[in-house]
Amino acid sequence: MARKKIIAGNWKMNMTPSQAVELVNTLKPLVVNDEVDVVFCVPAIDIIPAMEAARGTNIQIGAENMYYEEKGAFTGEIAPDMLTDVGVKYVIIGHSERREYFAETDETVNRKVLKAFEHGITPIICCGESLTQREQGITIDWIRQQIKIAFLNVTAEQAASAVIAYEPIWAIGTGKVATTEQAQEVCKAIRDCIAEIYDQTTAEAIRIQYGGSVSASSAPELFAQPDIDGGLVGGASLKPDFGAIVNYK
Ligand code: PEP
């Protein structure tokens, strides 16, 4: 069965709640496309107003992060229940900015992934290499390690429903998009790695996005690749361009 594309915006630390409502209202007529799952991952405080603004549309509102404990003395963190209580179904886990600035590791990513599944939330699991790693020729080894640890103790059924975002760090927010060949090569390697951990059926079901300076002009070729099932989009998700990305064909 053909995989449904999934195109998600990552708003990062942008948009106040009132700006979020405005942005959803601007984008909602532009992102209509039944062939694609459309997700806006927004700052925690924007989730409820963005959801209200998106009600009745094809837009799903997701979160940008979540903690791996149920509740308690973890000042400033967001618990999985807090997300499911308002209807969140997707959460970005292990974005490279979280790894770099907030000390997230492959191990904490794995704990968050397991917790998200426990609560029926689909994780969008990020992986990606630095420029040094690419230049040293260790991209695939590095990504395989990230994937193998992220999926520790995850069942095949859970893995089949997961989303992986391959985001080369050197391409995030830099305007330097990976070539179609580079993106396809790594996304295929990720799928092969999933087949190795689980089986071919799971590998064929899992959705793998490319992320890193995706624009309306680069999206059509990237999303036409056999192992690229959509994108995780930062900067361009805050603009009307996101409509063109969602309607890339
Ligand atoms: C991201 O934040 O996940 C991302 C890919 O950002 P950008 O599209 O701006 O490079």
Side-chain angles (χ1 to χ4, degrees):
M1 207 178 77
R3 293 180 295 273
K4 191 175 186 187
K5 297 264 194 263
I6 174 164
I7 300 179
N10 172 17
W11 287 10
K12 313 195 185 198
M13 197 175 74
N14 294 295
M15 300 290 136
T16 63
S18 42
Q19 289 168 336
V21 170
E22 239 177 85
L23 184 58
V24 171
N25 285 334
T26 304
L27 291 180
K28 65 188 175 189
L30 307 177
V31 298
V32 177
N33 183 350
D34 288 344
E35 286 175 28
V36 169
D37 284 332
V38 179
V39 187
F40 291 9
C41 295
V42 307
I45 198 165
D46 294 344
I47 290 174
I48 293 173
M51 264 187 180
E52 278 162 12
R55 187 164 295 140
T57 73
N58 61 323
I59 302 166
Q60 289 272 351
I61 302 298
E64 296 179 12
N65 183 31
M66 185 202 85
Y67 201 49
Y68 53 71
E69 295 289 354
E70 291 293 333
K71 62 176 174 176
F74 304 103
T75 303
E77 291 295 324
I78 308 287
D81 267 359
M82 297 172 187
L83 298 179
T84 52
D85 189 66
V86 296
V88 167
K89 297 197 175 63
Y90 292 93
V91 61
I92 298 175
I93 300 290
H95 190 280
S96 61
E97 289 152 14
R98 301 254 2 133
R99 293 177 191 252
E100 182 177 354
Y101 306 126
F102 303 99
E104 293 203 9
T105 63
D106 290 338
E107 287 70 25
T108 62
V109 166
N110 175 242
R111 292 181 76 168
K112 289 182 177 196
V113 166
L114 290 169
K115 189 51 81 175
F117 279 125
E118 201 181 306
H119 286 264
I121 307 174
T122 301
I124 299 176
I125 306 161
C126 300
C127 61
E129 82 287 5
S130 67
L131 191 55
T132 310
Q133 289 166 326
R134 176 157 286 273
E135 286 172 351
Q136 290 304 310
I138 57 171
T139 296
I140 304 288
D141 291 341
W142 176 257
I143 302 286
R144 282 172 54 83
Q145 178 173 315
Q146 287 187 315
I147 295 298
K148 288 200 169 185
I149 299 176
F151 282 82
L152 258 177
N153 299 319
V154 172
T155 67
E157 195 189 338
Q158 289 169 334
S161 71
V163 178
I164 296 173
Y166 165 55
E167 300 205 302
I169 298 168
W170 48 271
I172 297 180
T174 57
K176 208 170 158 187
V177 65
T179 65
T180 309
E181 293 70 28
Q182 287 171 328
Q184 163 60 22
E185 183 198 16
V186 180
C187 290
K188 177 170 189 314
I190 293 171
R191 202 175 302 287
D192 290 346
C193 183
I194 294 291
E196 215 176 284
I197 303 171
Y198 301 100
D199 49 47
Q200 205 55 41
T201 312
T202 308
E204 273 161 27
I206 198 166
R207 293 188 290 179
I208 306 174
Q209 301 172 313
Y210 167 78
S213 297
V214 172
S215 64
S217 59
S218 59
E221 208 179 299
L222 284 165
F223 300 170
Q225 299 309 302
D227 289 294
I228 302 181
D229 306 313
L232 182 57
V233 183
S237 71
L238 300 169
K239 299 187 258 181
D241 286 29
F242 196 58
I245 293 173
V246 167
N247 289 288
Y248 62 96
K249 269 197 211 161

